Amino acid sequence: MSLTAPKRNWHASGRNIAKRGARERNVSALLRFASLLDRHLSNGSRPGKTSAEPWTNVDFAKNVTGTHDKGSDFVSDRSVANWRKGQALPSAIEPILNALFGTKGFNPSEREELRQSYLDAKRERANKILAQTEPDPAGATWVARDDQFIIDRSAQSSDVQAAADPLIQQQQMMLRIFTADLVEETRRLGNSPTWSRLHPAAYAFLAIVNENPQQVPQHLGSAYGWMLRLGRCLETHKELETTPDFTHSPLDPVISASLRDVVRIGAPWLRNFPTAAKWDDEAGKMLGRPDMYKPALNFTRIARAKLAISEDDAREIDHLAETAASGGVLGGKSNARTVATANNLLIAGAAVVEPQAASTLAKRALETLVAAEKDVAALAADQPAELRDVLLSVIESETTQNIIKINDYQSTKIDYTDEISENNFYINTFHWNILKSNTNCFLPNLVNILDREDIRSHYISESAIRAGIKKISTRMIDGVRNFTAISYSKAQEIIFAYMKIREEYAMIREEFSSLPIIYERDIVIAPFMLVNLSKYLEVANMTPAILAASSGVSRGAISHALENTKGVCGRVSGGIAHAIHNTLLPLCPGLPALAVFADTSPFGIKHVPGTPFTLNDLLLPLPRPLPAEWRR
């Protein structure tokens, strides 16, 4: 008998270990949690003890509170059994952790291990539910592209087949003729408070029907939205015909007949495309959701503000929402599509959120969900119970809340490198809010765009009238272009009028197709008094002309900033103040810091309509880091 030990097949042993490791990795997070919980219960883990008499399901159930079990403050032993088998997941982990480890920090590593295992299982279940959730067919479908969600406009094969049908192409040809007539007949309605939206809608719809038939399937979402707008205009006309209103008049017979032709041909033409027909059918089934309109619109606007969706997609939803707000059957369909599109975005966003939010898209989605917490809760309440719980868990997660707080803090600091206390930030915000309403305001970026793109002043004035803003005249816009100062509120209104032009005509007039966005932050305010500037010029042995040449500030702005005979300084922008300060600093020992040199505390002369600034003056950059006193 040989006493030699048999050779061990190390290669086979290594393969077995690898297989066992793979099996462990493939075990679901739910089963890993179940196994870990079962181990603690079998070992009898209790506060202050690592090992004791094993827990029975009945005994453990009597120590776990606060779940969904009805008629009792404690869970049932059946629930505990299901947890241990991996057949169910507890609704909360804290009661279980407290029963096993207490509340005084006993055995923190094992407590955290079980807690993390539970969170992994919960996320796994959420991912499964979200992956199985089909997009609402009444709304647009969202897909991730780069760092944003975009509406999926890819053509379906059934729609491409419909576009190739000769009869459908004939309908499109007739629709071009009727829509072109409608566009011509509605040009003069721009000043009508009731019908100002009809011409832009007709123009946008004409741009789509003018496309090659094979290109139409890629524009079905926009075509459907504009057709709803045109149909709602026809409904409004009929309502005003039957119920006269002293403040609103129906369309004249020629325009109403033309509009009726477009809707009667356009609606059946669109329904020839299976995707559009499905949207229309589903929207018709969901007309009873008016309470969801506001949270849906708020949610998509917050998503745009957080850069989770594009400007173009946000604009398309806004157009739908405007139609929805007008009521009626077609307004109801627009409402249903708005809500369904928001729901689809909500689910898409929740699906990409991860505990560490590593990608830019995940961070933007996460920020959107938490910033729109109330709107998410309202939209989630309309979902099936399992999906609702998943959506709410994203915004209620402690991890999520911590990530958002960090991201929000960083976003408020993005332009600055110096630190400032939270209290001072709010004081400065309050100070600036008062200041900007009492000082000269300018729109140099807008002036740049208007001149470069040759946009006439009356375009802005007419857009303001269509938007219901009556006190923006062509003369005022001419003044803005010549740097006549305006109030902050008026600057906001002009930006709004410009953005309406951009929205209304971006799809239908080539010269407006790439207009930049103007933001409220593009308003340049001039609140700074350069007290004692004349004295500093004497110290530096400089004349105003030399200072102008050295600083890049215009001679007129320097003269404006100097004290006049009454001892009052003209106010300048932060960029001008910064350029002058930088020029004087090497030449004036003891020159105060910029925040003191450019004083904002005394209001003095509040608003000076005529100012001598040039475009270069108003585009001079602000300092970085920005003085704490200048924070807005």
Side-chain angles (χ1 to χ4, degrees), residues 43 53 251 341 363 426 450 460 601 607:
N43 290 342
E53 182 180 348
L251 294 166
T341 300
K363 289 178 182 177
Y426 287 112
L450 297 183
I460 303 291
S601 9
H607 188 75

Side-chain angles (χ1 to χ4, degrees), residues 131-144:
Q132 293 173 345
T133 302
E134 294 291 333
D136 190 328
T141 302
W142 298 87
V143 294

Side-chain angles (χ1 to χ4, degrees), residues 89-139:
L89 192 66
S91 60
I93 190 61
E94 288 303 319
I96 294 173
L97 297 176
N98 292 339
L100 293 174
F101 307 109
T103 59
K104 296 184 179 179
F106 174 73
N107 209 342
S109 60
E110 292 198 1
R111 181 189 183 103
E112 182 56 29
E113 180 187 24
L114 184 59
R115 179 179 177 275
Q116 189 57 53
S117 179
Y118 169 79
L119 293 176
D120 291 343
K122 190 174 182 181
R123 184 61 199 171
E124 178 186 73
R125 186 185 68 171
N127 288 340
K128 183 178 179 180
I129 292 171
L130 290 169
Q132 293 173 345
T133 302
E134 294 291 333
D136 190 328

Side-chain angles (χ1 to χ4, degrees), residues 338-416:
T338 303
V339 173
T341 300
N343 279 330
N344 290 342
L345 178 60
L346 170 57
I347 293 166
V352 302
V353 170
E354 301 168 359
Q356 300 306 318
S359 71
T360 300
L361 178 61
K363 289 178 182 177
R364 290 174 177 178
L366 201 146
E367 289 178 358
T368 298
L369 293 174
V370 176
E373 181 176 355
K374 292 181 180 179
D375 304 308
V376 170
L379 293 170
D382 205 35
Q383 302 294 339
E386 272 194 338
L387 180 58
R388 180 185 64 236
D389 292 343
V390 166
L391 295 174
L392 293 177
S393 70
V394 175
I395 58 176
E396 292 169 355
S397 161
E398 180 182 345
T399 304
T400 296
Q401 293 290 346
N402 288 338
I403 292 171
I404 288 298
K405 287 174 184 176
I406 292 170
N407 287 342
D408 281 351
Y409 175 78
Q410 290 173 340
S411 68
T412 61
K413 302 288 184 183
I414 196 164
D415 288 332
Y416 316 118

Side-chain angles (χ1 to χ4, degrees), residues 246-497:
F246 290 110
T247 58
H248 303 284
S249 302
L251 294 166
D252 70 39
V254 174
I255 297 178
S256 63
S258 186
L259 175 60
R260 191 177 297 110
D261 289 340
V262 170
V263 172
R264 285 179 175 177
I265 296 176
W269 171 73
L270 264 178
R271 286 190 61 86
N272 285 318
F273 297 92
T275 299
K278 185 178 181 181
W279 291 337
D280 199 47
D281 291 340
E282 294 297 330
K285 294 175 186 176
M286 301 177 183
L287 294 179
R289 302 166 72 179
D291 56 323
M292 292 291 102
Y293 163 73
K294 285 188 176 180
L297 186 56
N298 288 342
F299 177 69
T300 53
R301 286 178 173 172
I302 290 172
R304 174 55 194 148
K306 298 294 182 181
L307 303 180
I309 63 175
S310 71
E311 178 71 22
D312 289 340
D313 289 336
R315 183 172 61 243
E316 183 171 316
I317 296 169
D318 275 347
H319 285 318
L320 271 175
E322 287 179 4
T323 307
S326 63
V329 175
L330 294 177
K333 287 187 176 183
S334 297
N335 176 33
R337 183 161 173 78
T338 303
V339 173
T341 300
N343 279 330
N344 290 342
L345 178 60
L346 170 57
I347 293 166
V352 302
V353 170
E354 301 168 359
Q356 300 306 318
S359 71
T360 300
L361 178 61
K363 289 178 182 177
R364 290 174 177 178
L366 201 146
E367 289 178 358
T368 298
L369 293 174
V370 176
E373 181 176 355
K374 292 181 180 179
D375 304 308
V376 170
L379 293 170
D382 205 35
Q383 302 294 339
E386 272 194 338
L387 180 58
R388 180 185 64 236
D389 292 343
V390 166
L391 295 174
L392 293 177
S393 70
V394 175
I395 58 176
E396 292 169 355
S397 161
E398 180 182 345
T399 304
T400 296
Q401 293 290 346
N402 288 338
I403 292 171
I404 288 298
K405 287 174 184 176
I406 292 170
N407 287 342
D408 281 351
Y409 175 78
Q410 290 173 340
S411 68
T412 61
K413 302 288 184 183
I414 196 164
D415 288 332
Y416 316 118
T417 56
D418 56 328
E419 294 299 327
I420 183 171
S421 73
E422 184 179 5
N423 186 48
N424 281 340
F425 177 78
Y426 287 112
I427 290 173
N428 289 325
T429 300
F430 178 73
H431 173 71
W432 278 94
N433 285 338
I434 295 176
L435 195 62
K436 68 188 182 185
S437 62
N438 290 280
T439 192
N440 296 333
C441 296
F442 307 89
L443 291 167
N445 284 338
L446 179 61
V447 171
N448 223 354
I449 293 168
L450 297 183
D451 291 344
R452 186 179 70 239
E453 304 293 339
D454 193 26
I455 300 175
R456 308 297 176 81
S457 297
H458 68 85
Y459 289 174
I460 303 291
S461 180
E462 290 168 2
S463 175
I465 292 172
R466 289 197 298 274
I469 305 169
K470 298 180 180 179
K471 294 185 178 180
I472 298 181
S473 64
T474 301
R475 179 180 294 181
M476 175 178 287
I477 303 302
D478 287 339
V480 168
R481 301 177 87 140
N482 292 318
F483 308 114
T484 299
I486 55 175
S487 67
Y488 196 87
S489 60
K490 194 59 66 178
Q492 289 175 306
E493 290 179 349
I494 291 172
I495 289 175
F496 182 76

Side-chain angles (χ1 to χ4, degrees), residues 488-507:
Y488 196 87
S489 60
K490 194 59 66 178
Q492 289 175 306
E493 290 179 349
I494 291 172
I495 289 175
F496 182 76
Y498 163 79
M499 290 301 293
K500 292 298 286 184
I501 285 181
R502 187 178 181 277
E503 289 176 7
E504 291 172 357
Y505 295 99
M507 294 177 59

